[in-house]
Amino acid sequence: MTIQTINQNIQSYKNQLVTHSLYENVRSIDDLHCFLENHIYAVWDFMSLLKALQNNLTCTTTPWLPIGNPEIRYLINEIVVAEETDLALDGSRQSHFEMYLDAMQQSGANTIPVLKFLESVKSTQNIFVSIKQSDLHPNVKSFLDFTFRIIEEGKSHKIAAAFTFGREDLIPSMFTEILKKFQTNFPETNLSKLIYYFERHIELDADEHGPMAMQMISELCGSNETKWKEVEEISIQALEKRIGLWNAIEELIRHKELEMI
């Protein structure tokens, strides 16, 4: 099996996401807020996938040892630098999660729930307990639970599959669609930080992180057909969870609209 084969086999799931009706239903600033307030959890847990790969595939303890393949170490560390300490709109250094939080605040979205969730993660020291106890939509809970089950299993090629095909490979096309709507539908609201965040992701993921992540998958699987098959299975599951997340956000937007009638 190859990257090309997996891409062919998961294309129908990717098409569902790229053409999802959610994009058409983000019509007002309240709809946008609903999107941001739920999508932020995907921005956050992505960082945990990345750090799990860094922990597995590079040396993050002392004494330092030359663990694993130097090419994979380079790929992971390059992505970590950009995701954890990228240049924000004002030239300061921020993680992409922190950029997203700032963009939410600028647009008027509510950041209190996600910050409370992070406090719960710190206090419980058990991500699964925090997810279960949260007031999140069941699909958002399922999305997060899937991510951390994969991380807990600890198999690098599976984590890389969720990271690559469920996220990095998908972001440019998804976010381009969202950006088009933002620029035309919300001219009265300052979305400069949000637009910068999306454009930055499109730039990094399409030109740098996407190809790097694909190379990482190839390095991790090599000629092991079992690993390739597991990568395909996890990729499909990750895409299904993302579709579930999009369905949840669309449902929440429609529910708010019905309440206003």
Side-chain angles (χ1 to χ4, degrees):
M1 194 177 290
T2 64
I3 292 289
Q4 185 178 7
T5 305
I6 291 177
N7 273 324
Q8 290 171 350
N9 293 344
I10 66 175
Q11 191 59 50
S12 62
Y13 299 93
K14 292 167 72 173
N15 289 344
Q16 287 181 60
L17 284 164
V18 174
T19 60
H20 199 287
S21 55
L22 168 64
Y23 310 123
E24 298 298 325
N25 283 293
V26 182
R27 300 190 188 100
S28 70
I29 198 65
D30 285 339
D31 296 341
L32 173 60
H33 289 166
C34 185
F35 173 85
L36 299 176
E37 288 161 14
N38 288 279
H39 179 243
I40 183 66
Y41 295 94
V43 176
W44 172 73
D45 81 334
F46 173 82
M47 295 300 298
S48 291
L49 285 169
L50 177 57
K51 298 306 281 189
L53 287 171
Q54 189 179 36
N55 287 337
N56 284 5
L57 302 174
T58 76
C59 186
T60 58
T61 58
T62 56
W64 179 87
L65 294 169
I67 290 173
N69 184 323
E71 286 296 322
I72 293 180
R73 292 201 302 261
Y74 172 77
L75 294 174
I76 289 296
N77 287 331
E78 278 289 298
I79 296 173
V80 167
V81 167
E83 295 288 343
E84 203 166 36
T85 55
D86 201 7
L87 280 174
L89 184 60
D90 64 1
S92 64
R93 292 283 176 185
Q94 284 186 314
S95 68
H96 284 193
F97 173 75
E98 290 163 316
M99 280 189 200
Y100 202 97
L101 277 180
D102 278 359
M104 286 177 67
Q105 289 170 341
Q106 184 190 53
S107 74
N110 186 6
T111 59
I112 292 173
V114 69
L115 293 176
K116 283 187 175 179
F117 178 78
L118 295 190
E119 285 300 317
S120 169
V121 171
K122 290 178 190 175
S123 63
T124 64
Q125 296 187 3
N126 186 319
I127 182 60
F128 300 107
V129 170
S130 293
I131 293 168
K132 187 175 181 179
Q133 291 179 346
S134 73
D135 295 326
L136 294 168
H137 187 287
N139 288 16
V140 182
K141 289 185 177 184
S142 179
F143 182 90
L144 291 171
D145 189 78
F146 172 77
T147 294
F148 287 97
R149 296 292 174 192
I150 294 296
I151 290 171
E152 186 178 55
E153 189 178 352
K155 294 184 178 179
S156 297
H157 64 289
K158 288 188 175 183
I159 299 170
F163 177 88
T164 302
F165 293 103
R167 308 297 184 93
E168 290 290 79
D169 182 44
L170 206 58
I171 285 170
S173 52
M174 284 197 313
F175 281 31
T176 300
E177 291 301 311
I178 296 170
L179 252 184
K180 290 175 185 174
K181 296 295 178 185
F182 288 171
Q183 290 173 324
T184 56
N185 289 1
F186 312 118
E188 74 286 353
T189 304
N190 187 353
L191 300 174
S192 59
K193 290 184 177 180
L194 198 57
I195 290 171
Y196 176 83
Y197 171 88
F198 289 148
E199 288 179 339
R200 185 68 179 141
H201 253 287
I202 291 167
E203 177 187 356
L204 284 173
D205 294 337
D207 298 338
E208 299 176 31
H209 293 179
M212 281 184 178
M214 293 298 178
Q215 186 181 341
M216 175 175 61
I217 292 283
S218 295
E219 293 276 353
L220 288 172
C221 292
S223 58
N224 188 319
E225 281 301 314
T226 300
K227 286 186 176 180
W228 278 109
K229 188 62 181 173
E230 288 177 342
V231 162
E232 181 180 332
E233 290 169 356
I234 293 299
S235 300
I236 289 172
Q237 290 174 38
L239 291 168
E240 288 175 336
K241 294 299 179 184
R242 173 70 77 160
I243 293 167
L245 175 65
W246 261 209
N247 290 343
I249 297 173
E250 186 173 37
E251 180 186 319
L252 289 167
I253 287 173
R254 286 176 174 167
H255 182 70
K256 282 191 174 186
E257 288 172 350
L258 287 173
E259 285 182 338
M260 295 174 68
I261 294 174

